[in-house]
Amino acid sequence: MTNPKNAPFGSVLASTMAVAHYRDGAWGKTEFRVTGPLEIHPAAHALHYGSECFEGFKAYKHTDGSVNVFRLDMHLARMQNSARALVLPEPDPAQLRAAVLELIARVREDVPDAPGALYLRPLLIGTTPNIGAAATPATEAILIVLASPVWDYFAGGMKPLKILIEEHAQRCAPHLGMVKTGGNYAAAMGPTLAARKQYGVDQVLFCPGGSVQETGASNFVLLRAGELLTRSLDPSFLHGVTRDSILVLARDLGYRVEERVFDVAELLAYVQHGEAALSGTAAVLSGVGTLVRDGKEFKVGDGGIGPETLRLRNALVAIQQGTAPDRYGWLTRAC
Ligand SMILES: *Cc1c(COP(=O)(O)O)cnc(C)c1O
């Protein structure tokens, strides 16, 4: 297997995957197979009508050799909600949980030491073969769990991000923002690639009608000494587990945490003397150095990664890697 240190995030896969089929109203047994192609009918519902959803979370090898999954049950509950929103057969939560834990045990040799991790990717796709089912839900499905050894995003040093403020295009349909479904990423791809080309930015911060939401695959938080501001939960954006964890840690560290709607004018005023960061499983918490609006650049603080971003990031990573106590019961030991 390629060393994950030398490979882009998600491009190296463990040799085993878990697969289960839903047919005739019931889930079959989970099978563990060599990671590779699946036979799917070209008329499969997901390929035409986008009936698919996924999850993404990490398991960490601690210095005692144990491998521990971060907030497994919150991720599995979100997968359940995504399946329900898309009218897909819902995974059996106990079966999926067991499949994830057994898969980790089976690929344990491939779990990198810290600061690497094993990234887990459950995937649910509607497979009913019927190209006339645009308004009919899939009644057959496949549930897959892939595992990918990953390295620290910032192993080469943390570089502040440059982000475009987009006030017109939407990331996705407003009622589906909280669902981790492929179509949402396809919808954000065009605006994101256009912004990269035109402004040389890393990501796009979607702010439809001026209301700050999130980027294509991460939540957005503002920070100042002892203060945190982020959008309050609503169906328009993804309810990140990292976001939730950062809010818990910030409250415990005595920050004043505000969850509410705010607009681009307030954002630009805030960052003159504040920090901005993206949150998500892949990169944990990444500092934003520059915002671009209508072609004009705005520095966030002094343009570097701020101390509050680093403090919260380090507090979370310490729990994940087992160097700080798991005070909130966030870890599930897989093996
Ligand atoms: C997955 C995702 C996030 C981050 O969620 P985490 O649970 O923190 O990994 C944020 N926004 C979008 C659009 C996502 O897909």
Side-chain angles (χ1 to χ4, degrees), residues 14-19 31-38 103 144-146:
S15 52
T16 305
M17 63 180 186
V19 182
E31 290 167 39
F32 294 88
R33 295 201 204 159
V34 172
T35 303
L38 283 175
L103 178 64
I144 301 142
V145 186
L146 295 171

Side-chain angles (χ1 to χ4, degrees), residues 57-188:
F57 50 87
K58 283 179 181 167
Y60 298 84
K61 188 184 272 175
H62 291 183
T63 48
D64 65 0
S66 66
V67 181
N68 301 276
V69 192
F70 185 67
R71 303 200 75 176
L72 174 60
D73 291 311
M74 196 167 179
H75 282 284
L76 297 185
R78 190 168 70 188
M79 179 105 182
Q80 214 71 17
N81 288 336
S82 293
R84 200 170 303 135
L86 299 167
V87 202
L88 270 161
E90 290 175 34
D92 172 341
Q95 180 180 4
L96 178 53
R97 194 173 197 280
V100 167
L101 295 175
E102 182 168 347
L103 178 64
I104 295 169
R106 284 177 182 247
V107 302
R108 137 173 234 153
E109 295 301 306
D110 294 339
V111 184
D113 292 328
L118 188 70
Y119 180 76
L120 283 312
R121 169 57 66 87
L123 169 71
L124 175 64
I125 58 180
T127 50
T128 311
N130 180 355
I131 58 172
T136 310
T139 53
E140 292 176 16
I142 305 183
L143 180 60
I144 301 142
V145 186
L146 295 171
S148 170
V150 295
W151 200 240
D152 183 354
Y153 244 56
F154 299 113
M158 254 197 228
K159 188 175 142 284
L161 299 169
K162 186 170 170 183
I163 304 283
L164 178 73
I165 295 175
E166 168 59 67
E167 289 162 89
H168 304 290
Q170 307 212 43
R171 183 178 79 91
C172 62
H175 68 297
L176 279 187
M178 61 189 286
V179 177
K180 239 174 157 60
T181 185
N184 287 353
Y185 306 86

Side-chain angles (χ1 to χ4, degrees), residues 159-163 215 220-221 274-278 286-291 298-301 303-306 309:
K159 188 175 142 284
L161 299 169
K162 186 170 170 183
I163 304 283
T215 70
F220 184 74
V221 299
E275 302 173 28
L278 305 187
S286 332
V288 177
T290 309
L291 293 166
F298 296 83
K299 224 188 236 186
V300 177
I305 309 229
T309 302

Side-chain angles (χ1 to χ4, degrees), residues 190-245:
T192 305
L193 293 194
R196 282 196 186 135
K197 198 164 159 204
Q198 191 172 354
Y199 300 108
V201 294
D202 300 295
Q203 286 296 336
V204 172
L205 178 62
F206 290 93
C207 309
S211 184
V212 176
Q213 230 170 35
E214 67 167 335
T215 70
S218 335
N219 295 136
F220 184 74
V221 299
L222 292 172
L223 291 161
R224 266 201 294 244
E227 284 178 35
L228 185 156
L229 171 60
T230 194
R231 186 185 181 89
S232 39
L233 296 179
D234 65 43
S236 74
F237 74 105
L238 209 281
H239 302 178
V241 174
T242 314
R243 172 192 177 281
D244 183 81
S245 309

